[in-house]
Amino acid sequence: MRILLVEDDKLHLTYLQDQVARAFEHVEMLCCATSGAEAEDLARKENLTAIVMDLRMKGRNGVEAARVIWRERPQTRILFWSNYSDEAYLRGISRIVPDNSAYGYVLKTAPPERLGPALRAVLGEGQILIDREVHSLNSFGYLRREALTEVELLILNDVALGLPDKLVALRHSLSLRTVQNRLTGLYNKLSLHDDLFDRLGTEPNKRTRAIAAAVKQGIITSETLEAAENEVAAWCARTGKR
């Protein structure tokens, strides 16, 4: 087996190397990268299709690196491991996984007795595996009744970037009324009413309060906003918007 470990923390990388050695009897090649860009180059150069990927790294993050790697080699098996169980990361991964590809998600706090089987299941057997601790934290928001739909999430990211309703509607080929109705649904789902504004004796700005609530709940992060901004820039380039 030829494996690529992508991790920018030396202690975590050493731990990963040890756990890989314990999980597999024979590893033909074990490569290491400390950034998403380096991971893309190594995977391409060495044709590595079994990867353990950190999510948050300087420069290109793990989701963006995985997007490039899967675009070039859809058969690649990737086990994401992270300190974060935020819904935004899980949604970001779910949107880029190719059909019939193997992937997994495990927290760095997972003990060896859970990490080892996760490594074997995803990298060795080609299974899909989400660590039970992630499930217990209700990170898969789309399983909950109050979860945001994919369209609502796209609108939320655009609003967080500062796009006005008319431009959001144009970008997603929706009517202005549809966007506004979706925003109303967003406000309800994100449970915007709280004691803070009762004490202040005023109503919140629902638009900005929705963004604050989404950040607190891990629905949007700096990485997902960066990805959204890149998507808007690409849309502008396609449509000739300045």
Side-chain angles (χ1 to χ4, degrees):
M1 179 172 288
R2 297 152 57 86
I3 298 175
L4 171 61
L5 306 180
V6 189
E7 172 58 65
D8 60 356
D9 181 276
K10 291 183 179 179
L11 290 177
H12 282 143
L13 181 58
T14 300
Y15 175 71
L16 265 183
Q17 290 170 322
D18 179 63
Q19 293 305 309
V20 166
R22 292 171 181 267
F24 301 103
E25 292 185 2
H26 176 67
V27 176
E28 178 186 347
M29 176 183 289
L30 185 62
C31 297
C32 301
T34 59
S35 70
E38 186 181 359
E40 294 168 22
D41 291 339
L42 268 173
R44 187 180 301 115
K45 178 181 177 181
E46 302 294 343
N47 192 29
L48 299 167
T49 55
I51 301 174
V52 181
M53 180 78 75
D54 188 14
L55 280 179
R56 298 192 68 171
M57 296 172 287
K58 293 181 178 179
R60 190 184 295 276
N61 64 51
V63 173
E64 289 301 312
R67 187 199 303 271
V68 172
I69 291 169
W70 268 328
R71 184 171 63 236
E72 297 177 357
R73 288 169 301 284
Q75 76 278 13
T76 302
R77 301 171 177 181
I78 302 180
L79 175 62
F80 296 93
W81 88 314
S82 174
N83 286 317
Y84 306 92
S85 60
D86 294 352
E87 182 178 326
Y89 292 116
L90 294 165
R91 281 189 181 258
I93 292 168
S94 69
R95 288 199 298 270
I96 65 172
V97 179
D99 292 339
N100 302 316
S101 291
Y103 74 100
Y105 196 107
V106 63
L107 294 180
K108 292 184 179 181
T109 54
E113 56 265 28
R114 293 219 306 271
L115 178 57
L119 288 165
R120 289 189 292 271
V122 177
L123 304 187
E125 301 168 16
Q127 298 181 20
I128 296 174
L129 183 147
I130 307 299
D131 185 67
R132 67 186 185 208
E133 187 176 353
V134 177
H135 276 297
S136 70
L137 293 172
N138 293 316
S139 295
F140 275 99
Y142 52 82
L143 297 179
R144 302 194 304 266
R145 290 180 60 191
E146 71 275 16
L148 304 187
T149 66
E150 288 301 313
V151 173
E152 287 172 338
L153 186 63
L154 291 172
I155 291 173
L156 178 63
N157 278 313
D158 281 0
V159 168
L161 291 176
L163 273 62
D165 293 355
K166 288 184 179 179
L167 193 54
V168 174
L170 180 63
R171 197 167 100 75
H172 299 294
S173 301
L174 300 170
S175 70
L176 180 59
R177 181 178 293 276
T178 296
V179 169
Q180 292 170 342
N181 288 339
R182 296 280 187 167
L183 284 171
T184 299
L186 272 171
Y187 302 151
N188 293 330
K189 288 183 177 182
L190 290 172
S191 301
L192 297 177
H193 181 78
D194 54 43
D195 293 338
L196 173 62
F197 287 90
D198 286 341
R199 293 195 299 270
L200 291 172
T202 186
E203 288 292 322
N205 180 304
K206 291 184 177 181
R207 199 179 188 91
T208 54
R209 193 62 176 162
I211 297 169
V215 170
K216 287 173 65 177
Q217 295 178 34
I219 297 172
I220 58 176
T221 66
S222 60
E223 285 83 2
T224 58
L225 286 178
E226 181 180 355
E229 191 163 354
N230 290 337
E231 290 172 3
V232 172
W235 174 76
C236 290
R238 291 194 306 270
T239 60
K241 297 288 182 183
R242 291 182 179 272

